[in-house]
Amino acid sequence: MILLRDSRTRRRRLGVAAVAGGLLAALLTAAPAGAIPDPGDSPADGKAVSRSDQAEAREAIKSGEIPAQDEVVHSDNIKHVANIPKDALPGTNSDLAFQGRYAFAGNYDGFRIFDISNPKAPRTVAQVLCPGSQNDISVSGDLLFLSTDSSRSDSSCNSTTQPATEKSSWEGMKVFDISDKRNPRYVAAVETACGSHTHTLVPERKNVYIYVSSYSPNAAYPDCQPPHDGISVIKVPRNAPHKAALVGFPVLFPGEGPDGGGNPGGPTNPGVSKTTGCHDITVLPSKDLAAGACMGDGILFSIENPERPRVIDRVQDNVNFAFWHSATFNQGADKVVFTDELGGGGAATCNADIGPNRGADGIYDIIGKGDRSKLVFRSYFKIPRHQADTENCVAHNGSIIPVRGRDLMVQAWYQGGVSVWDFTNSAKPKEIAYFERGPLTTDRIVTGGSWSAYYYNGYIYSNDIAKGFDVLRIDDRRTDPARWVHMPELNVQTQPDYFD
C-alpha cells in the first residue's frame, strides 16, 4: 500500500514502485478477469460513433437541446456547491461511503478520504494507492472494506495484473484500519470465488459480515468455476480484523445444470443476462431483509441468520430488463427499486430509440409479510431528458432521501447526471430535480459521468468518473425535512432505518 500525500510525492514513489514491480503498467491496464464485468466497469478508450450521431450531438448542443461540452446545468432547486477534481489517483472513480465528517471515495487505483465538515469546501485527508477494479468501498467503525474484481498477482497493494487462468492469481476483499484517517493501514485480505465486484456489510456489535457479489464463472478459471449461483460470506471480528475469513457460500439459485437455477438468459430470453451470481445486494438490517440485483433476476431474501441468507421471492423482467444491477428499499420497507444497467454503463441508452422502459428503474411493491412476501411490479422510471448518442447514460447507484411520508430518491445516471425523483406513488414516479454536465466529447463515447449519487446529512455527494467529487445542495419543500436527519455513518447498501 502506498499512501499518497500529494502529487509530487506520488510521482516520486510511483517511479520507485515501477522499477520494483511494474506498478505503473498495472495502474491503467488493470482489467477484471475472474469475473467478467459489465462493459462500463473497466476504464475504456473512446468508442467511435457514426458521423450522423456526431452531427446530431453538435446540432443538439447548438440548438440548446443538450448542454454544451462540459457545461454544467441543473434545475432551479439544486445548487452545485463544490467540485474536487481527481488528483493522485487517475483511474475511474467508483462508489462512496460516509462516516461522521468524512467521505470515502473508491477509485480503480485505490481510494481517497475527504473531510466534508464544510461541504462547500471538502479537503483531501488521504489518498491510498491500491489498484484493483472496481474498489467498491464501505466503512464500519474503524474498518474500511475494498472490493477487488480484477485478477492480481497477489493480495498486496503492490500487485500487478495476472491472468485469471493462473491458480496463483488473487481477487477478493481487502480490509483496512482507518482509526487514523490520515494513515489507513492495510490489515487483512480474503480471497473469494470470482473476486468481489461489489460487497454489502451486515454489521453487528462484535463482527461485521460481508456479502460478496461476483459473477460470470469460467471453466478455465481455477478460482471461479461454474456453477457460481450464490454469494460469498465473510466474517470480520472487529477486535481482530486480521482474522477475517470466509464462512460460507449460500446458494441463492439452486438448480440442475452447469449454471444453477437462475435466469438462463439468451437464447431463451434474448437480450437478458444469464444469472451466474449477483451484481449488488442491499440489506435492511432493521427488518432482517435484503434485496438482490442478480444479473437476470431480482430477489427478496431474509438475513435473520446473516451467515445463511434465505430467498423469499424472486422476479424476472425478460421484456425490459437486461441486467439487474442494484436495489434500494424505501423507508417503509414495502417497496424496492431495482435498476437495469442496459449496456453495462458504457452505452448511450438515454435516447428516443431505447425509450423510457429500458435502462431504467423498476419499482416493485412488497405485498404480504414474512415468508409470504411477494415482489409486485408497479412501474418504470427513467430520466426524462434525452442525452446525446456520445454520452454513456443508464440507471446506476442512488439512495433514498429520508423524509417521513414520502419516497424520494437521488440517483446517478453516468453522463445523464444526477436525478432526484419521487416514487411515493409507485405507479406514477416523477423527477423533481436534476444536475448534469454536457457530453465529454461529440465524436465518440468516452465513459464518464456520475457513478454514485447519495444523500448524506443535508447534501448530495456524487463521485464523477472523470470530473471528480461533486457536492450538491437541494432546496425543495419536499426534501427539506431530510436536513434534520443526521447519520453517524452511511453505507448505502446497508440501508439504515433513518427514523428509528
Side-chain angles (χ1 to χ4, degrees):
M1 183 190 79
I2 299 175
L3 185 65
L4 305 172
R5 296 297 184 184
D6 54 41
S7 296
R8 182 179 301 172
T9 302
R10 173 182 176 270
R11 283 194 292 271
R12 182 173 64 250
R13 290 183 175 175
L14 279 184
V16 174
V19 172
L23 184 56
L24 271 179
L27 282 175
L28 297 181
T29 60
I36 300 170
D38 351 341
D41 284 341
S42 295
D45 294 330
K47 304 173 194 172
V49 298
S50 68
R51 289 186 178 180
S52 63
D53 285 342
Q54 294 177 32
E56 286 181 11
R58 289 191 291 269
E59 180 58 34
I61 290 173
K62 185 177 179 181
S63 66
E65 292 178 39
I66 63 173
Q69 209 167 325
D70 286 339
E71 179 187 3
V72 170
V73 297
H74 51 82
S75 55
D76 290 340
N77 54 356
I78 275 189
K79 295 179 181 177
H80 187 205
V81 300
N83 171 262
I84 306 298
K86 290 184 184 182
D87 186 20
L89 303 174
T92 295
N93 280 335
S94 57
D95 212 2
L96 294 168
F98 305 90
Q99 186 180 84
R101 62 189 178 101
Y102 297 102
F104 303 82
N107 178 286
Y108 278 35
D109 290 332
F111 63 93
R112 190 173 181 179
I113 303 176
F114 294 99
D115 182 333
I116 55 170
S117 53
N118 179 359
K120 296 179 181 179
R123 295 184 298 106
T124 299
V125 173
Q127 298 186 74
V128 175
L129 177 66
C130 194
S133 69
Q134 57 186 14
N135 278 340
D136 191 50
I137 194 168
S138 58
V139 294
S140 184
D142 287 337
L143 300 177
L144 179 147
F145 305 90
L146 210 60
S147 285
T148 300
D149 192 29
S150 58
S151 188
R152 314 295 299 179
S153 56
D154 56 54
S155 62
S156 77
C157 286
N158 294 316
S159 67
T160 57
T161 56
Q162 182 168 291
T165 52
E166 294 188 23
K167 176 61 179 172
S168 63
S169 295
W170 184 92
E171 49 189 320
M173 289 299 308
K174 295 169 181 170
V175 183
F176 292 77
D177 183 318
I178 54 167
S179 52
D180 181 353
K181 302 296 188 293
R182 294 185 176 276
N183 294 283
R185 184 169 56 89
Y186 186 9
V187 295
V190 180
E191 187 171 18
T192 54
C194 301
S196 174
H197 195 70
T198 66
H199 68 271
T200 303
L201 303 186
V202 184
E204 296 186 337
R205 186 171 62 86
K206 292 184 177 181
N207 304 298
V208 179
Y209 287 95
I210 308 173
Y211 290 167
V212 177
S213 295
S214 55
Y215 52 94
S216 292
N218 189 308
Y221 299 159
D223 298 320
C224 185
Q225 294 281 299
H228 185 74
D229 47 12
I231 57 174
S232 298
V233 179
I234 294 172
K235 182 179 180 180
V236 185
R238 290 189 185 275
N239 293 331
H242 61 282
K243 294 183 179 180
L246 189 70
V247 294
F249 186 86
V251 173
L252 302 178
F253 302 97
E256 298 179 0
D259 297 314
N263 195 318
T268 304
N269 297 317
V272 177
S273 295
K274 178 169 64 175
T275 298
T276 57
C278 290
H279 181 279
D280 213 338
I281 292 169
T282 293
V283 297
L284 194 58
S286 63
K287 305 292 185 183
D288 287 330
L289 282 177
C294 302
M295 304 181 74
D297 293 88
I299 59 174
L300 183 70
F301 54 102
S302 166
I303 58 168
E304 188 173 3
N305 182 341
E307 292 190 22
R308 295 178 178 82
R310 181 172 46 83
V311 175
I312 297 171
D313 194 29
R314 168 183 163 195
V315 290
Q316 296 178 357
D317 181 345
N318 295 318
V319 175
N320 288 314
F321 261 47
F323 188 92
W324 295 67
H325 176 277
S326 52
T328 304
F329 289 97
N330 69 332
Q331 177 60 33
D334 56 7
K335 299 173 188 174
V336 181
V337 175
F338 289 103
T339 67
D340 171 27
E341 195 184 33
L342 174 68
T349 73
C350 297
N351 52 36
D353 289 342
I354 298 299
N357 296 337
R358 298 172 63 212
D361 297 310
I363 304 164
Y364 286 74
D365 285 352
I366 301 175
I367 305 300
K369 301 292 183 182
D371 287 352
R372 296 188 177 183
S373 298
K374 296 292 181 183
L375 292 164
V376 179
F377 174 77
R378 292 303 187 206
S379 66
Y380 298 106
F381 170 77
K382 192 171 183 179
I383 56 173
R385 299 170 308 287
H386 286 165
Q387 306 295 305
D389 285 339
T390 60
E391 293 180 278
N392 62 305
C393 176
V394 76
H396 213 231
N397 294 350
S399 74
I400 64 169
I401 298 177
V403 174
R404 288 185 186 274
R406 286 187 181 271
D407 295 325
L408 304 173
M409 186 169 177
V410 57
Q411 187 173 8
W413 290 78
Y414 289 112
Q415 286 195 68
V418 175
S419 175
V420 179
W421 57 288
D422 186 329
F423 62 105
T424 306
N425 182 342
S426 53
K428 294 182 178 180
K430 59 183 179 182
E431 184 176 76
I432 62 174
Y434 72 90
F435 164 89
E436 68 168 296
R437 291 181 171 90
L440 289 171
T441 67
T442 57
D443 59 357
R444 65 195 190 283
I445 295 180
V446 176
T447 301
S450 179
W451 178 290
S452 299
Y454 300 145
Y455 186 92
Y456 179 68
N457 293 355
Y459 289 83
I460 293 169
Y461 297 90
S462 166
N463 212 16
D464 188 287
I465 290 170
K467 296 298 181 180
F469 184 69
D470 286 309
V471 185
L472 311 174
R473 179 181 172 94
I474 182 167
D475 293 293
D476 188 287
R477 59 178 177 78
R478 291 162 290 193
T479 61
D480 285 348
R483 294 179 188 171
W484 299 101
V485 180
H486 277 247
M487 305 301 297
E489 190 172 270
L490 179 65
N491 301 292
V492 167
Q493 286 74 34
T494 305
Q495 203 168 312
D497 184 340
Y498 286 97
F499 304 112
D500 184 9

Short mmCIF file of all heavy atoms in Angstrom, two decimals, residues 42 51 59 135 138 146 208 216 222 248 289 326 346 372 376 382 413 439 457 459 469 496:
data_model
loop_
_atom_site.label_atom_id
_atom_site.label_comp_id
_atom_site.label_asym_id
_atom_site.label_seq_id
_atom_site.Cartn_x
_atom_site.Cartn_y
_atom_site.Cartn_z
N SER A 42 -14.82 -1.16 -16.66
CA SER A 42 -13.40 -1.01 -16.93
C SER A 42 -13.17 0.33 -17.61
O SER A 42 -13.94 0.72 -18.48
CB SER A 42 -12.91 -2.14 -17.86
OG SER A 42 -13.00 -3.38 -17.23
N ARG A 51 -20.88 9.26 -38.13
CA ARG A 51 -20.82 10.69 -38.43
C ARG A 51 -22.18 11.35 -38.22
O ARG A 51 -22.25 12.50 -37.80
CB ARG A 51 -20.35 10.88 -39.88
CG ARG A 51 -18.88 10.54 -40.09
CD ARG A 51 -18.43 10.89 -41.50
NE ARG A 51 -17.02 10.60 -41.68
CZ ARG A 51 -16.36 10.81 -42.81
NH1 ARG A 51 -16.99 11.31 -43.87
NH2 ARG A 51 -15.07 10.53 -42.89
N GLU A 59 -25.49 19.40 -33.31
CA GLU A 59 -26.69 20.18 -33.59
C GLU A 59 -27.54 20.33 -32.34
O GLU A 59 -28.12 21.40 -32.09
CB GLU A 59 -27.50 19.50 -34.70
CG GLU A 59 -28.78 20.24 -35.08
CD GLU A 59 -28.53 21.67 -35.54
OE1 GLU A 59 -27.49 21.93 -36.17
OE2 GLU A 59 -29.40 22.53 -35.25
N ASN A 135 -12.81 -1.49 -6.77
CA ASN A 135 -12.60 -0.84 -5.47
C ASN A 135 -13.89 -0.27 -4.89
O ASN A 135 -13.94 0.86 -4.40
CB ASN A 135 -11.50 0.22 -5.56
CG ASN A 135 -10.11 -0.41 -5.46
OD1 ASN A 135 -9.96 -1.52 -4.98
ND2 ASN A 135 -9.10 0.30 -5.92
N SER A 138 -16.70 0.52 1.51
CA SER A 138 -17.63 0.73 2.61
C SER A 138 -16.83 0.84 3.90
O SER A 138 -15.64 0.49 3.96
CB SER A 138 -18.66 -0.40 2.70
OG SER A 138 -18.02 -1.64 2.87
N LEU A 146 -12.69 -2.96 0.88
CA LEU A 146 -12.44 -2.64 -0.52
C LEU A 146 -12.55 -3.91 -1.36
O LEU A 146 -11.94 -4.93 -1.03
CB LEU A 146 -11.04 -2.05 -0.65
CG LEU A 146 -10.75 -1.03 -1.74
CD1 LEU A 146 -11.62 0.21 -1.60
CD2 LEU A 146 -9.26 -0.64 -1.69
N VAL A 208 -18.45 -7.94 11.74
CA VAL A 208 -19.04 -7.40 10.51
C VAL A 208 -19.09 -8.54 9.50
O VAL A 208 -18.06 -9.16 9.21
CB VAL A 208 -18.20 -6.24 9.94
CG1 VAL A 208 -18.84 -5.72 8.65
CG2 VAL A 208 -18.05 -5.13 10.95
N SER A 216 -20.14 -14.41 -13.39
CA SER A 216 -19.52 -14.83 -14.65
C SER A 216 -18.34 -15.78 -14.45
O SER A 216 -17.19 -15.45 -14.72
CB SER A 216 -19.09 -13.61 -15.48
OG SER A 216 -20.22 -12.91 -15.92
N PRO A 222 -9.37 -21.29 -12.43
CA PRO A 222 -9.32 -22.21 -11.28
C PRO A 222 -10.10 -21.72 -10.07
O PRO A 222 -10.65 -22.53 -9.31
CB PRO A 222 -7.81 -22.28 -10.96
CG PRO A 222 -7.14 -21.90 -12.23
CD PRO A 222 -8.03 -20.90 -12.90
N GLY A 248 -18.86 -19.05 4.43
CA GLY A 248 -19.87 -19.78 3.68
C GLY A 248 -20.09 -19.25 2.29
O GLY A 248 -19.66 -18.14 1.93
N LEU A 289 -34.10 -7.95 6.23
CA LEU A 289 -34.40 -8.14 4.81
C LEU A 289 -33.22 -7.75 3.94
O LEU A 289 -32.38 -6.93 4.33
CB LEU A 289 -35.61 -7.29 4.39
CG LEU A 289 -37.00 -7.78 4.74
CD1 LEU A 289 -38.03 -6.74 4.29
CD2 LEU A 289 -37.30 -9.13 4.10
N SER A 326 -28.76 -3.04 -9.26
CA SER A 326 -28.75 -2.65 -7.85
C SER A 326 -30.18 -2.56 -7.33
O SER A 326 -31.14 -2.62 -8.10
CB SER A 326 -28.02 -1.31 -7.65
OG SER A 326 -28.51 -0.32 -8.52
N GLY A 346 -21.62 1.59 -20.39
CA GLY A 346 -20.74 2.13 -21.41
C GLY A 346 -21.44 2.52 -22.68
O GLY A 346 -20.79 2.84 -23.68
N ARG A 372 -44.18 -14.96 3.21
CA ARG A 372 -45.21 -14.86 2.17
C ARG A 372 -45.09 -13.56 1.36
O ARG A 372 -45.95 -13.27 0.53
CB ARG A 372 -46.60 -14.96 2.80
CG ARG A 372 -46.87 -16.32 3.45
CD ARG A 372 -48.30 -16.46 3.89
NE ARG A 372 -48.57 -17.77 4.44
CZ ARG A 372 -49.77 -18.18 4.86
NH1 ARG A 372 -50.81 -17.36 4.78
NH2 ARG A 372 -49.92 -19.41 5.35
N VAL A 376 -44.12 -7.21 -6.42
CA VAL A 376 -45.14 -6.96 -7.45
C VAL A 376 -44.76 -5.71 -8.23
O VAL A 376 -44.64 -4.62 -7.66
CB VAL A 376 -46.54 -6.81 -6.82
CG1 VAL A 376 -47.58 -6.52 -7.91
CG2 VAL A 376 -46.92 -8.06 -6.03
N LYS A 382 -37.42 6.59 -15.62
CA LYS A 382 -36.20 6.94 -16.35
C LYS A 382 -36.13 8.45 -16.47
O LYS A 382 -37.17 9.12 -16.56
CB LYS A 382 -36.19 6.29 -17.74
CG LYS A 382 -34.85 6.35 -18.45
CD LYS A 382 -34.86 5.50 -19.71
CE LYS A 382 -33.52 5.48 -20.40
NZ LYS A 382 -33.53 4.63 -21.61
N TRP A 413 -26.76 8.70 -13.01
CA TRP A 413 -27.09 8.21 -14.35
C TRP A 413 -25.88 8.38 -15.29
O TRP A 413 -26.04 8.67 -16.46
CB TRP A 413 -28.31 8.95 -14.91
CG TRP A 413 -29.58 8.58 -14.22
CD1 TRP A 413 -30.02 9.01 -13.00
CD2 TRP A 413 -30.57 7.65 -14.69
NE1 TRP A 413 -31.22 8.43 -12.69
CE2 TRP A 413 -31.59 7.58 -13.71
CE3 TRP A 413 -30.70 6.88 -15.85
CZ2 TRP A 413 -32.72 6.78 -13.85
CZ3 TRP A 413 -31.82 6.08 -16.00
CH2 TRP A 413 -32.81 6.03 -15.01
N PRO A 439 -21.88 16.61 -22.73
CA PRO A 439 -21.07 15.44 -23.10
C PRO A 439 -19.58 15.71 -22.99
O PRO A 439 -19.11 16.83 -23.22
CB PRO A 439 -21.48 15.16 -24.54
CG PRO A 439 -22.07 16.43 -25.04
CD PRO A 439 -22.70 17.09 -23.86
N ASN A 457 -26.63 13.69 5.26
CA ASN A 457 -26.60 14.80 6.22
C ASN A 457 -26.73 16.17 5.57
O ASN A 457 -25.94 17.09 5.81
CB ASN A 457 -25.33 14.72 7.06
CG ASN A 457 -25.31 13.50 7.98
OD1 ASN A 457 -26.29 12.76 8.06
ND2 ASN A 457 -24.20 13.27 8.65
N TYR A 459 -26.70 17.08 2.25
CA TYR A 459 -26.13 17.34 0.93
C TYR A 459 -26.15 16.08 0.07
O TYR A 459 -26.25 14.96 0.59
CB TYR A 459 -24.69 17.85 1.05
CG TYR A 459 -24.60 19.26 1.58
CD1 TYR A 459 -24.64 19.50 2.96
CD2 TYR A 459 -24.49 20.35 0.72
CE1 TYR A 459 -24.57 20.78 3.47
CE2 TYR A 459 -24.43 21.65 1.23
CZ TYR A 459 -24.46 21.85 2.59
OH TYR A 459 -24.41 23.14 3.08
N PHE A 469 -15.09 14.70 -7.49
CA PHE A 469 -16.04 14.63 -6.37
C PHE A 469 -16.90 15.90 -6.37
O PHE A 469 -16.39 17.01 -6.26
CB PHE A 469 -15.24 14.52 -5.07
CG PHE A 469 -16.03 14.36 -3.82
CD1 PHE A 469 -16.73 13.20 -3.55
CD2 PHE A 469 -16.04 15.36 -2.85
CE1 PHE A 469 -17.44 13.04 -2.36
CE2 PHE A 469 -16.73 15.22 -1.67
CZ PHE A 469 -17.43 14.05 -1.43
N PRO A 496 -29.99 2.17 6.41
CA PRO A 496 -30.41 2.37 7.80
C PRO A 496 -31.91 2.60 7.93
O PRO A 496 -32.59 2.92 6.95
CB PRO A 496 -29.65 3.64 8.19
CG PRO A 496 -29.53 4.41 6.91
CD PRO A 496 -29.37 3.37 5.83
#
